[in-house]
Amino acid sequence: MVRKKVPEWLNSTMWSAPPPPSSFNDDGLLRNPPSTKMSSMKKDEEAESISVTPPPSTASSVPPPSPRPRNGSSISGEYGNSSSVPPSSAEDFSRQAHLSAELSKKVINMKELRSLASQSLPDSPGIRSTVWKLLLGYLPPERSLWSSELKQKRSQYKHYKDELLTSPSEITWRLVRSKGFDNYELKSGSRCMLSRSRITDEDHPLSLGKASVWNTYFQDIETIEQIDKDVKRTHPDIPFFSAESSSSFARSNQESMKNILLVFAKLNQGIRYVQGMNEILAPIFYVFRNDPDEDSSSHAEADAFFCFVELLSGFRDFYCQQLDNSVVGIRSAITRLSQLVRKHDEELWRHLEITTKVNPQFYAFRWITLLLTQEFSFFDCLHIWDALLSDPEGPLESLLGICCAMLVLVRRRLIAGDFTSNMKLLQHYPTTNISHLLYVANKLRSKMLV
Protein backbone atom coordinates (compact mmCIF):
# COMPACT_ATOMS: atom_id res chain seq x y z
CA MET A 1 0.00 0.00 0.00
CA VAL A 2 1.38 3.40 -0.99
CA ARG A 3 1.55 5.87 1.84
CA LYS A 4 0.46 9.42 1.35
CA LYS A 5 3.26 11.91 1.32
CA VAL A 6 3.28 14.88 3.60
CA PRO A 7 1.72 17.80 1.70
CA GLU A 8 4.31 20.18 0.29
CA TRP A 9 2.73 23.13 2.06
CA LEU A 10 3.79 21.56 5.34
CA ASN A 11 7.45 21.88 4.43
CA SER A 12 7.89 25.64 4.09
CA THR A 13 10.42 27.38 6.34
CA MET A 14 8.26 30.46 6.83
CA TRP A 15 7.70 29.59 10.47
CA SER A 16 11.16 28.26 11.27
CA ALA A 17 13.04 31.53 11.72
CA PRO A 18 14.61 31.98 15.16
CA PRO A 19 12.36 34.02 17.42
CA PRO A 20 13.56 37.49 18.36
CA PRO A 21 13.79 38.07 22.11
CA SER A 22 10.75 39.86 23.39
CA SER A 23 8.54 39.82 26.45
CA PHE A 24 5.71 41.72 24.84
CA ASN A 25 2.28 40.78 26.16
CA ASP A 26 -0.67 42.04 24.18
CA ASP A 27 -3.51 40.85 26.39
CA GLY A 28 -5.54 43.74 27.67
CA LEU A 29 -7.36 41.78 30.35
CA LEU A 30 -7.07 42.37 34.06
CA ARG A 31 -5.42 39.23 35.31
CA ASN A 32 -2.40 37.57 36.84
CA PRO A 33 0.45 36.67 34.51
CA PRO A 34 -0.89 33.46 32.95
CA SER A 35 0.80 30.25 33.86
CA THR A 36 2.64 28.54 31.04
CA LYS A 37 1.95 24.88 30.44
CA MET A 38 5.19 22.95 30.19
CA SER A 39 5.68 19.77 28.28
CA SER A 40 7.26 16.95 30.24
CA MET A 41 9.30 16.01 27.18
CA LYS A 42 12.62 17.50 26.15
CA LYS A 43 12.65 19.55 22.97
CA ASP A 44 14.45 18.11 19.99
CA GLU A 45 18.03 19.27 19.70
CA GLU A 46 17.42 20.61 16.22
CA ALA A 47 14.65 23.10 15.53
CA GLU A 48 11.81 21.62 13.53
CA SER A 49 9.44 23.58 11.39
CA ILE A 50 5.85 23.04 10.38
CA SER A 51 4.56 25.10 7.51
CA VAL A 52 1.18 26.56 7.02
CA THR A 53 2.15 28.45 3.88
CA PRO A 54 0.78 27.26 0.53
CA PRO A 55 3.07 26.96 -2.49
CA PRO A 56 3.40 30.25 -4.41
CA SER A 57 1.17 28.96 -7.18
CA THR A 58 -1.65 28.03 -4.82
CA ALA A 59 -4.33 30.60 -4.04
CA SER A 60 -5.62 30.72 -0.51
CA SER A 61 -8.47 32.67 0.97
CA VAL A 62 -7.01 32.33 4.45
CA PRO A 63 -4.75 35.23 5.37
CA PRO A 64 -1.54 34.41 7.25
CA PRO A 65 -1.73 35.24 10.95
CA SER A 66 0.35 37.81 12.68
CA PRO A 67 2.84 35.70 14.68
CA ARG A 68 1.86 36.77 18.15
CA PRO A 69 1.50 34.39 21.07
CA ARG A 70 -1.48 34.81 23.34
CA ASN A 71 0.28 33.68 26.45
CA GLY A 72 3.42 35.76 26.29
CA SER A 73 5.71 32.74 25.97
CA SER A 74 8.02 31.79 23.15
CA ILE A 75 8.46 28.38 21.61
CA SER A 76 10.34 27.80 18.40
CA GLY A 77 11.14 24.68 16.48
CA GLU A 78 8.33 22.41 15.36
CA TYR A 79 5.73 25.03 16.26
CA GLY A 80 7.20 27.35 13.67
CA ASN A 81 7.74 30.99 14.40
CA SER A 82 5.85 31.17 17.69
CA SER A 83 7.93 34.04 18.94
CA SER A 84 6.70 36.85 21.07
CA VAL A 85 6.50 39.44 18.36
CA PRO A 86 4.60 42.64 19.18
CA PRO A 87 1.37 42.80 17.20
CA SER A 88 0.89 45.30 14.45
CA SER A 89 -0.92 48.13 16.21
CA ALA A 90 -2.22 49.40 12.88
CA GLU A 91 -3.71 45.99 12.15
CA ASP A 92 -5.26 45.74 15.60
CA PHE A 93 -6.72 49.21 15.42
CA SER A 94 -8.11 48.47 11.99
CA ARG A 95 -9.79 45.24 13.12
CA GLN A 96 -11.15 46.87 16.26
CA ALA A 97 -12.52 49.80 14.25
CA HIS A 98 -14.11 47.37 11.80
CA LEU A 99 -15.74 45.45 14.66
CA SER A 100 -16.98 48.60 16.35
CA ALA A 101 -18.46 49.82 13.09
CA GLU A 102 -20.19 46.49 12.53
CA LEU A 103 -21.59 46.37 16.06
CA SER A 104 -22.97 49.90 15.76
CA LYS A 105 -25.13 49.08 12.74
CA LYS A 106 -28.90 48.91 13.13
CA VAL A 107 -28.86 45.40 11.70
CA ILE A 108 -25.61 43.51 12.19
CA ASN A 109 -24.23 41.53 9.29
CA MET A 110 -23.68 38.16 10.95
CA LYS A 111 -21.64 36.80 8.06
CA GLU A 112 -19.21 39.68 8.35
CA LEU A 113 -19.15 39.42 12.14
CA ARG A 114 -18.32 35.71 11.95
CA SER A 115 -15.53 36.44 9.52
CA LEU A 116 -14.02 39.03 11.86
CA ALA A 117 -14.39 36.82 14.94
CA SER A 118 -12.82 33.80 13.23
CA GLN A 119 -9.51 35.68 13.15
CA SER A 120 -9.70 36.11 16.94
CA LEU A 121 -11.20 39.12 18.67
CA PRO A 122 -9.22 41.95 20.25
CA ASP A 123 -9.19 42.06 24.04
CA SER A 124 -10.75 45.52 24.12
CA PRO A 125 -13.35 45.87 26.92
CA GLY A 126 -16.85 44.81 26.01
CA ILE A 127 -16.27 43.64 22.45
CA ARG A 128 -15.98 39.91 23.12
CA SER A 129 -18.99 39.96 25.45
CA THR A 130 -21.27 41.48 22.81
CA VAL A 131 -19.90 39.41 19.93
CA TRP A 132 -20.26 36.10 21.79
CA LYS A 133 -23.88 36.91 22.65
CA LEU A 134 -24.55 37.54 18.98
CA LEU A 135 -22.69 34.45 17.77
CA LEU A 136 -24.57 32.26 20.24
CA GLY A 137 -27.92 33.67 19.18
CA TYR A 138 -28.66 35.24 22.54
CA LEU A 139 -28.89 38.67 20.92
CA PRO A 140 -30.69 39.12 17.59
CA PRO A 141 -28.94 40.96 14.73
CA GLU A 142 -31.46 43.83 15.03
CA ARG A 143 -30.15 46.21 17.67
CA SER A 144 -33.62 47.66 18.26
CA LEU A 145 -34.70 44.28 19.71
CA TRP A 146 -31.84 43.92 22.18
CA SER A 147 -33.49 45.72 25.09
CA SER A 148 -36.76 43.77 24.99
CA GLU A 149 -34.99 40.46 24.35
CA LEU A 150 -32.62 40.92 27.29
CA LYS A 151 -35.44 41.98 29.59
CA GLN A 152 -37.50 38.92 28.68
CA LYS A 153 -34.61 36.44 29.02
CA ARG A 154 -33.38 37.88 32.32
CA SER A 155 -36.90 37.77 33.73
CA GLN A 156 -37.20 34.16 32.61
CA TYR A 157 -33.96 33.22 34.36
CA LYS A 158 -35.17 34.87 37.57
CA HIS A 159 -38.31 32.75 37.32
CA TYR A 160 -36.18 29.61 36.93
CA LYS A 161 -34.20 30.47 40.05
CA ASP A 162 -37.32 31.24 42.09
CA GLU A 163 -38.89 27.97 41.03
CA LEU A 164 -35.88 25.65 41.13
CA LEU A 165 -33.49 27.02 43.74
CA THR A 166 -35.89 27.97 46.54
CA SER A 167 -35.42 25.86 49.67
CA PRO A 168 -38.16 23.28 50.46
CA SER A 169 -38.94 24.94 53.80
CA GLU A 170 -39.65 28.25 52.04
CA ILE A 171 -41.82 26.46 49.47
CA THR A 172 -43.74 24.80 52.29
CA TRP A 173 -44.46 28.13 53.95
CA ARG A 174 -45.57 29.58 50.63
CA LEU A 175 -48.05 26.72 50.28
CA VAL A 176 -49.31 27.31 53.80
CA ARG A 177 -49.83 31.02 53.13
CA SER A 178 -51.57 30.27 49.85
CA LYS A 179 -54.08 28.14 51.79
CA GLY A 180 -55.12 31.07 53.95
CA PHE A 181 -52.85 30.68 56.95
CA ASP A 182 -50.96 33.95 56.46
CA ASN A 183 -50.89 34.79 60.17
CA TYR A 184 -50.55 31.29 61.47
CA GLU A 185 -46.83 31.47 62.17
CA LEU A 186 -47.33 34.63 64.18
CA LYS A 187 -49.62 33.04 66.76
CA SER A 188 -48.22 32.54 70.19
CA GLY A 189 -46.61 29.18 70.71
CA SER A 190 -46.81 28.18 67.05
CA ARG A 191 -44.01 30.19 65.43
CA CYS A 192 -42.49 28.24 62.55
CA MET A 193 -44.59 25.19 63.39
CA LEU A 194 -47.49 23.57 61.58
CA SER A 195 -50.01 21.25 63.10
CA ARG A 196 -49.88 17.67 61.80
CA SER A 197 -53.23 18.11 60.09
CA ARG A 198 -51.85 20.94 57.96
CA ILE A 199 -48.81 18.97 56.67
CA THR A 200 -49.62 17.07 53.49
CA ASP A 201 -47.63 14.12 52.13
CA GLU A 202 -45.94 16.43 49.64
CA ASP A 203 -44.90 18.84 52.39
CA HIS A 204 -43.37 16.25 54.74
CA PRO A 205 -39.54 16.08 54.75
CA LEU A 206 -39.64 12.27 54.84
CA SER A 207 -42.09 11.93 51.98
CA LEU A 208 -40.94 9.72 49.10
CA GLY A 209 -43.66 10.92 46.77
CA LYS A 210 -42.63 12.16 43.32
CA ALA A 211 -44.45 15.44 43.95
CA SER A 212 -42.63 16.03 47.24
CA VAL A 213 -40.35 19.06 47.16
CA TRP A 214 -38.36 17.53 50.00
CA ASN A 215 -37.81 14.26 48.14
CA THR A 216 -36.64 16.22 45.11
CA TYR A 217 -34.33 18.29 47.31
CA PHE A 218 -32.65 15.24 48.84
CA GLN A 219 -32.22 13.67 45.41
CA ASP A 220 -30.46 16.84 44.29
CA ILE A 221 -28.02 16.90 47.22
CA GLU A 222 -25.42 14.78 45.42
CA THR A 223 -25.54 17.02 42.36
CA ILE A 224 -25.33 20.16 44.51
CA GLU A 225 -22.29 18.84 46.35
CA GLN A 226 -20.52 17.86 43.11
CA ILE A 227 -21.17 21.28 41.56
CA ASP A 228 -19.88 22.97 44.69
CA LYS A 229 -16.64 20.96 44.61
CA ASP A 230 -16.05 21.53 40.90
CA VAL A 231 -16.75 25.26 41.00
CA LYS A 232 -14.29 25.68 43.87
CA ARG A 233 -11.66 23.88 41.78
CA THR A 234 -12.23 26.08 38.73
CA HIS A 235 -9.07 28.05 37.89
CA PRO A 236 -7.90 28.54 41.48
CA ASP A 237 -4.89 30.48 40.15
CA ILE A 238 -7.14 33.26 38.82
CA PRO A 239 -8.50 35.62 41.52
CA PHE A 240 -11.73 36.10 39.57
CA PHE A 241 -12.69 32.49 40.35
CA SER A 242 -10.80 31.78 43.56
CA ALA A 243 -12.73 32.40 46.78
CA GLU A 244 -9.53 31.58 48.67
CA SER A 245 -8.40 35.08 47.79
CA SER A 246 -10.83 36.31 50.49
CA SER A 247 -12.56 38.33 47.82
CA SER A 248 -16.30 38.82 48.11
CA PHE A 249 -16.27 39.37 44.36
CA ALA A 250 -14.79 35.90 43.76
CA ARG A 251 -17.26 34.29 46.17
CA SER A 252 -20.10 36.01 44.38
CA ASN A 253 -18.80 34.70 41.06
CA GLN A 254 -18.67 31.17 42.43
CA GLU A 255 -22.25 31.41 43.69
CA SER A 256 -23.41 32.61 40.29
CA MET A 257 -21.68 29.69 38.57
CA LYS A 258 -23.24 27.24 41.02
CA ASN A 259 -26.67 28.70 40.33
CA ILE A 260 -26.25 28.41 36.57
CA LEU A 261 -25.06 24.80 36.71
CA LEU A 262 -27.77 23.73 39.15
CA VAL A 263 -30.57 25.38 37.17
CA PHE A 264 -29.21 23.69 34.04
CA ALA A 265 -29.11 20.32 35.80
CA LYS A 266 -32.69 20.65 37.02
CA LEU A 267 -34.00 21.72 33.62
CA ASN A 268 -32.11 18.96 31.78
CA GLN A 269 -32.94 15.80 33.66
CA GLY A 270 -31.63 13.64 30.80
CA ILE A 271 -28.00 14.64 31.38
CA ARG A 272 -28.21 16.79 34.52
CA TYR A 273 -24.72 17.91 35.60
CA VAL A 274 -21.58 16.23 34.31
CA GLN A 275 -18.14 16.97 35.73
CA GLY A 276 -16.33 19.40 33.48
CA MET A 277 -19.33 21.57 32.64
CA ASN A 278 -17.91 24.11 35.07
CA GLU A 279 -14.87 24.46 32.80
CA ILE A 280 -17.10 25.22 29.81
CA LEU A 281 -19.13 27.76 31.75
CA ALA A 282 -16.07 29.57 33.12
CA PRO A 283 -14.99 31.42 29.92
CA ILE A 284 -18.54 32.57 29.17
CA PHE A 285 -19.21 33.86 32.67
CA TYR A 286 -15.78 35.50 32.90
CA VAL A 287 -16.26 37.41 29.66
CA PHE A 288 -19.78 38.58 30.54
CA ARG A 289 -18.95 39.48 34.14
CA ASN A 290 -16.03 41.63 32.98
CA ASP A 291 -18.15 43.62 30.55
CA PRO A 292 -17.48 47.33 31.30
CA ASP A 293 -21.18 48.07 30.86
CA GLU A 294 -22.61 47.92 34.39
CA ASP A 295 -26.02 46.69 33.29
CA SER A 296 -24.49 43.83 31.31
CA SER A 297 -22.06 42.96 34.08
CA SER A 298 -24.78 42.90 36.74
CA HIS A 299 -26.85 40.48 34.63
CA ALA A 300 -23.89 38.27 33.70
CA GLU A 301 -25.40 35.28 35.50
CA ALA A 302 -28.62 35.29 33.48
CA ASP A 303 -26.85 36.05 30.20
CA ALA A 304 -24.23 33.37 30.79
CA PHE A 305 -26.91 30.78 31.60
CA PHE A 306 -28.65 31.10 28.24
CA CYS A 307 -25.39 31.26 26.28
CA PHE A 308 -24.09 28.22 28.18
CA VAL A 309 -27.27 26.32 27.29
CA GLU A 310 -26.95 27.33 23.63
CA LEU A 311 -23.28 26.32 23.43
CA LEU A 312 -23.91 23.00 25.12
CA SER A 313 -26.85 22.23 22.85
CA GLY A 314 -24.37 21.31 20.13
CA PHE A 315 -22.45 18.99 22.45
CA ARG A 316 -25.04 17.72 24.93
CA ASP A 317 -25.12 14.21 23.43
CA PHE A 318 -21.43 13.86 24.30
CA TYR A 319 -22.39 13.96 27.99
CA CYS A 320 -25.04 11.25 27.74
CA GLN A 321 -23.41 7.88 28.35
CA GLN A 322 -26.25 6.00 26.68
CA LEU A 323 -25.40 7.76 23.40
CA ASP A 324 -21.63 7.20 23.51
CA ASN A 325 -21.71 4.66 20.68
CA SER A 326 -24.38 6.39 18.59
CA VAL A 327 -23.82 8.59 15.54
CA VAL A 328 -24.24 11.66 17.76
CA GLY A 329 -22.13 10.40 20.66
CA ILE A 330 -18.60 11.28 21.70
CA ARG A 331 -17.02 8.22 20.06
CA SER A 332 -18.45 9.28 16.72
CA ALA A 333 -16.74 12.68 17.09
CA ILE A 334 -13.45 11.01 18.02
CA THR A 335 -13.74 8.76 14.97
CA ARG A 336 -14.24 11.84 12.78
CA LEU A 337 -11.06 13.34 14.22
CA SER A 338 -9.16 10.15 13.44
CA GLN A 339 -10.44 10.26 9.86
CA LEU A 340 -9.36 13.90 9.53
CA VAL A 341 -5.83 13.05 10.65
CA ARG A 342 -5.66 10.11 8.25
CA LYS A 343 -6.82 12.27 5.34
CA HIS A 344 -4.28 15.04 5.96
CA ASP A 345 -1.31 13.00 7.17
CA GLU A 346 -1.62 9.25 6.77
CA GLU A 347 1.94 8.62 7.96
CA LEU A 348 1.18 10.34 11.27
CA TRP A 349 -2.17 8.55 11.62
CA ARG A 350 -0.57 5.15 10.95
CA HIS A 351 2.24 5.73 13.43
CA LEU A 352 -0.13 6.84 16.19
CA GLU A 353 -2.94 4.33 15.84
CA ILE A 354 -1.23 1.28 14.34
CA THR A 355 2.45 1.40 15.24
CA THR A 356 2.32 2.90 18.75
CA LYS A 357 -1.33 1.94 19.49
CA VAL A 358 -2.26 5.42 20.72
CA ASN A 359 -6.04 5.29 20.60
CA PRO A 360 -7.38 8.81 19.92
CA GLN A 361 -9.87 8.30 22.73
CA PHE A 362 -6.95 8.44 25.19
CA TYR A 363 -6.39 12.15 24.50
CA ALA A 364 -9.23 13.43 22.29
CA PHE A 365 -12.01 12.64 24.77
CA ARG A 366 -10.86 15.47 27.03
CA TRP A 367 -9.97 17.76 24.13
CA ILE A 368 -13.48 17.53 22.68
CA THR A 369 -15.73 17.29 25.73
CA LEU A 370 -14.03 20.22 27.48
CA LEU A 371 -13.57 22.29 24.30
CA LEU A 372 -9.79 22.48 24.80
CA THR A 373 -10.12 24.39 28.09
CA GLN A 374 -7.61 22.06 29.76
CA GLU A 375 -5.02 22.09 27.00
CA PHE A 376 -4.21 25.80 26.90
CA SER A 377 -4.08 28.68 29.33
CA PHE A 378 -7.43 30.23 30.20
CA PHE A 379 -6.76 33.40 28.26
CA ASP A 380 -5.54 31.50 25.20
CA CYS A 381 -8.85 29.62 25.26
CA LEU A 382 -10.79 32.85 24.88
CA HIS A 383 -9.13 33.39 21.50
CA ILE A 384 -9.66 29.76 20.48
CA TRP A 385 -13.33 30.09 21.40
CA ASP A 386 -13.65 33.17 19.17
CA ALA A 387 -12.98 30.81 16.28
CA LEU A 388 -15.21 28.03 17.63
CA LEU A 389 -18.24 30.27 18.14
CA SER A 390 -17.84 32.03 14.80
CA ASP A 391 -18.19 28.86 12.74
CA PRO A 392 -21.50 29.00 10.81
CA GLU A 393 -21.60 25.18 10.78
CA GLY A 394 -21.31 24.98 14.55
CA PRO A 395 -18.42 24.84 17.04
CA LEU A 396 -17.79 21.12 16.56
CA GLU A 397 -16.49 21.54 13.02
CA SER A 398 -13.89 24.10 14.06
CA LEU A 399 -13.06 22.12 17.19
CA LEU A 400 -12.20 18.98 15.22
CA GLY A 401 -10.12 21.05 12.81
CA ILE A 402 -8.16 22.63 15.65
CA CYS A 403 -7.60 19.21 17.27
CA CYS A 404 -6.26 17.91 13.95
CA ALA A 405 -3.99 20.94 13.65
CA MET A 406 -2.66 20.28 17.16
CA LEU A 407 -1.49 16.85 16.03
CA VAL A 408 0.01 18.14 12.79
CA LEU A 409 2.01 20.80 14.62
CA VAL A 410 3.81 18.20 16.75
CA ARG A 411 3.98 15.46 14.09
CA ARG A 412 7.78 15.10 14.12
CA ARG A 413 7.91 14.46 17.84
CA LEU A 414 4.96 12.09 17.58
CA ILE A 415 6.51 10.10 14.74
CA ALA A 416 9.79 9.90 16.67
CA GLY A 417 8.02 8.83 19.85
CA ASP A 418 6.71 5.60 21.32
CA PHE A 419 3.41 5.00 23.14
CA THR A 420 4.57 6.45 26.46
CA SER A 421 6.22 9.60 25.13
CA ASN A 422 3.36 10.31 22.74
CA MET A 423 0.75 9.95 25.47
CA LYS A 424 2.69 12.37 27.68
CA LEU A 425 2.94 14.85 24.84
CA LEU A 426 -0.75 14.72 23.93
CA GLN A 427 -2.02 14.78 27.50
CA HIS A 428 0.23 17.75 28.32
CA TYR A 429 0.13 19.68 25.08
CA PRO A 430 2.99 22.18 24.81
CA THR A 431 2.48 25.93 24.71
CA THR A 432 2.10 27.19 21.16
CA ASN A 433 1.21 30.27 19.18
CA ILE A 434 -2.58 30.43 19.08
CA SER A 435 -2.74 32.54 15.92
CA HIS A 436 -0.52 29.98 14.21
CA LEU A 437 -2.64 27.09 15.47
CA LEU A 438 -5.87 28.66 14.21
CA TYR A 439 -4.25 29.37 10.85
CA VAL A 440 -3.17 25.76 10.45
CA ALA A 441 -6.70 24.62 11.35
CA ASN A 442 -8.18 26.96 8.75
CA LYS A 443 -5.66 25.78 6.17
CA LEU A 444 -6.49 22.12 6.80
CA ARG A 445 -10.18 22.88 6.50
CA SER A 446 -9.72 24.77 3.24
CA LYS A 447 -7.93 21.71 1.87
CA MET A 448 -11.06 19.67 2.63
CA LEU A 449 -13.13 21.99 0.43
CA VAL A 450 -10.85 21.68 -2.60
Side-chain angles (χ1 to χ4, degrees):
M1 180 177 179
V2 179
R3 295 183 182 179
K4 285 187 179 181
K5 294 183 178 180
V6 178
E8 289 299 322
W9 61 272
L10 280 174
N11 293 320
S12 167
T13 57
M14 175 181 177
W15 297 94
S16 61
S22 173
S23 59
F24 185 90
N25 190 329
D26 65 319
D27 280 329
L29 298 167
L30 295 175
R31 56 182 171 88
N32 284 355
S35 58
T36 301
K37 291 191 176 183
M38 299 301 295
S39 170
S40 59
M41 300 183 64
K42 295 181 180 179
K43 293 187 177 65
D44 299 331
E45 293 182 2
E46 295 183 0
E48 301 173 349
S49 66
I50 293 295
S51 163
V52 295
T53 308
S57 59
T58 304
S60 173
S61 60
V62 184
S66 54
R68 58 186 219 184
R70 299 298 181 187
N71 51 18
S73 62
S74 172
I75 289 189
S76 59
E78 62 190 303
Y79 308 103
N81 186 8
S82 303
S83 58
S84 298
V85 178
S88 168
S89 58
E91 179 187 349
D92 276 3
F93 287 144
S94 176
R95 289 176 58 239
Q96 184 171 328
H98 198 166
L99 272 167
S100 298
E102 190 60 50
L103 293 175
S104 64
K105 292 181 179 178
K106 291 183 178 180
V107 179
I108 293 168
N109 185 331
M110 292 303 298
K111 183 178 180 180
E112 180 66 18
L113 186 67
R114 291 182 186 280
S115 176
L116 291 168
S118 67
Q119 302 171 38
S120 182
L121 296 168
D123 291 320
S124 303
I127 288 183
R128 182 172 281 115
S129 175
T130 303
V131 172
W132 280 16
K133 289 172 186 176
L134 285 161
L135 294 177
L136 286 166
Y138 183 59
L139 289 177
E142 300 83 359
R143 285 179 59 87
S144 60
L145 300 178
W146 287 8
S147 179
S148 59
E149 193 72 17
L150 289 173
K151 182 178 180 181
Q152 186 267 326
K153 290 288 181 64
R154 290 164 179 173
S155 174
Q156 185 178 354
Y157 180 69
K158 183 179 183 301
H159 172 72
Y160 286 153
K161 288 180 66 177
D162 290 342
E163 181 180 352
L164 300 173
L165 303 187
T166 304
S167 67
S169 56
E170 177 61 27
I171 294 176
T172 300
W173 277 111
R174 287 181 183 178
L175 292 173
V176 169
R177 296 188 186 102
S178 69
K179 294 175 183 178
F181 301 107
D182 292 349
N183 298 320
Y184 185 79
E185 70 265 30
L186 300 178
K187 295 180 181 179
S188 176
S190 64
R191 184 179 299 275
C192 298
M193 297 176 62
L194 293 175
S195 64
R196 185 178 297 274
S197 63
R198 291 191 175 107
I199 301 178
T200 64
D201 289 340
E202 287 75 19
D203 301 332
H204 200 287
L206 299 182
S207 171
L208 297 178
K210 292 184 178 179
S212 170
V213 294
W214 283 99
N215 184 36
T216 302
Y217 172 77
F218 289 126
Q219 288 180 346
D220 289 337
I221 285 294
E222 184 177 351
T223 300
I224 294 172
E225 291 178 347
Q226 187 62 60
I227 289 175
D228 182 70
K229 289 179 182 178
D230 289 350
V231 168
K232 288 179 178 177
R233 290 195 290 249
T234 304
H235 301 291
D237 56 322
I238 302 177
F240 177 90
F241 297 102
S242 178
E244 294 181 2
S245 63
S246 302
S247 165
S248 59
F249 179 65
R251 287 194 293 271
S252 171
N253 293 335
Q254 286 193 350
E255 287 304 313
S256 291
M257 291 181 64
K258 292 176 189 177
N259 291 340
I260 292 170
L261 294 170
L262 185 54
V263 170
F264 176 86
K266 285 175 171 284
L267 290 175
N268 295 271
Q269 293 294 322
I271 56 176
R272 294 183 64 80
Y273 171 77
V274 178
Q275 279 188 278
M277 288 183 177
N278 58 303
E279 301 291 350
I280 298 176
L281 171 61
I284 299 174
F285 183 70
Y286 175 88
V287 168
F288 293 176
R289 189 70 178 90
N290 279 300
D291 193 311
D293 180 78
E294 291 186 9
D295 183 63
S296 296
S297 179
S298 63
H299 289 96
E301 183 179 322
D303 297 346
F305 168 76
F306 286 103
C307 288
F308 172 73
V309 171
E310 180 60 31
L311 176 60
L312 228 58
S313 65
F315 299 93
R316 59 176 296 156
D317 294 334
F318 295 170
Y319 303 98
C320 185
Q321 190 172 6
Q322 293 85 345
L323 297 175
D324 278 356
N325 297 314
S326 71
V327 294
V328 295
I330 181 61
R331 289 182 182 172
S332 175
I334 293 174
T335 298
R336 286 185 59 194
L337 173 59
S338 174
Q339 292 169 347
L340 273 178
V341 176
R342 185 175 187 179
K343 177 177 178 61
H344 291 297
D345 193 336
E346 186 167 347
E347 181 185 5
L348 174 60
W349 172 85
R350 185 176 300 280
H351 181 76
L352 282 176
E353 299 194 25
I354 297 178
T355 304
T356 61
K357 307 295 183 184
V358 176
N359 189 317
Q361 186 170 338
F362 297 160
Y363 59 88
F365 182 89
R366 186 177 73 182
W367 289 10
I368 295 173
T369 58
L370 298 185
L371 309 190
L372 299 176
T373 56
Q374 300 302 289
E375 316 315 316
F376 302 95
S377 75
F378 178 78
F379 299 97
D380 280 355
C381 284
L382 299 184
H383 293 274
I384 292 175
W385 277 33
D386 293 338
L388 296 183
L389 301 183
S390 67
D391 194 324
E393 297 182 27
L396 180 59
E397 299 306 315
S398 284
L399 178 62
L400 293 178
I402 293 172
C403 290
C404 182
M406 289 168 64
L407 295 171
V408 169
L409 287 177
V410 293
R411 73 178 306 277
R412 294 190 180 183
R413 289 171 66 176
L414 290 172
I415 287 177
D418 57 12
F419 175 85
T420 302
S421 61
N422 285 345
M423 283 301 301
K424 286 182 179 180
L425 179 62
L426 296 177
Q427 290 183 346
H428 302 277
Y429 196 82
T431 303
T432 190
N433 181 312
I434 301 304
S435 293
H436 182 43
L437 172 64
L438 295 179
Y439 179 65
V440 173
N442 284 333
K443 186 63 185 176
L444 292 174
R445 191 165 181 180
S446 68
K447 288 284 183 180
M448 294 285 291
L449 301 177
V450 175

